[in-house]
Amino acid sequence: MMQQGYQRKRRRPVAEINVVPYIDVMLVLLIIFMVTAPIVTQGVKVDLPQASSEALAADSKPPVVASIDADGDYFLDVGSSSSRETLDLEEIAIRVGAIVQLEPERPVVVKADRSIAYEKVIQLMVTLQGAGVPSVGLMTDSPEE
């Protein structure tokens, strides 16, 4: 038996999208990308020299040259002031960091003996990158003809 005054109210369909689950998914993805981004960018970008390479521009400032000799000792030559003082990686990072802060456009190059282990060169390049050097060049000799 139905009551006379009772009518079922019709519900209108809701035409809204519930965005809360999408926001949750977006935040999870953001956290994943924030965690993985430093891992992906840890590599050192190196443009390997070709058989013949271009010289530095004549109007550029003299480069900062970080050198490794055949014994594996580190040296630093800044422009015309060249010292044969053996340095460790921390001292090179401090000195090059100060130079880069004062003159960010000054080029920085690595000069290493051909018999040096690749690991020593990479350690020096990572140290220079940690000191704030945006890009590190590799010094080469001209090919003999």
Side-chain angles (χ1 to χ4, degrees):
M1 300 210 148
M2 289 184 58
Q3 292 179 326
Q4 287 276 337
Y6 178 71
Q7 287 185 350
R8 189 169 186 170
K9 213 176 194 185
R10 295 185 88 188
R11 293 182 63 173
R12 300 181 117 202
V14 178
E16 296 176 2
I17 298 176
N18 188 2
V19 295
V20 174
Y22 299 116
I23 293 173
D24 292 343
V25 169
M26 181 200 58
L27 291 175
V28 169
L29 288 174
L30 178 66
I31 291 170
I32 290 171
F33 288 132
M34 287 173 55
V35 169
T36 59
I39 296 170
V40 172
T41 59
Q42 280 183 348
V44 177
K45 184 178 181 253
V46 177
D47 292 328
L48 296 176
Q50 302 296 318
S52 60
S53 59
E54 297 179 20
L56 289 174
D59 60 345
S60 70
K61 296 189 175 196
V64 176
V65 180
S67 305
I68 309 173
D69 67 359
D71 298 327
D73 297 325
Y74 297 99
F75 303 93
L76 190 64
D77 303 330
V78 181
S80 60
S81 66
S82 169
S83 68
R84 291 302 299 169
E85 175 184 5
T86 302
L87 302 171
D88 60 344
L89 289 174
E90 293 152 350
E91 185 66 25
I92 289 177
I94 293 169
R95 291 186 185 187
V96 172
I99 293 168
V100 168
Q101 284 184 346
L102 294 174
E103 300 176 59
E105 68 278 353
R106 182 172 257 198
V108 178
V109 295
V110 171
K111 176 182 169 185
D113 190 273
R114 72 175 66 204
S115 63
I116 283 300
Y118 189 62
E119 178 184 4
K120 295 285 257 183
V121 177
I122 292 300
Q123 286 175 347
L124 179 59
M125 292 180 77
V126 168
T127 300
L128 293 173
Q129 183 183 26
V133 177
S135 65
V136 178
L138 297 173
M139 188 178 284
T140 60
D141 284 333
S142 309
E144 296 179 16
E145 304 191 19

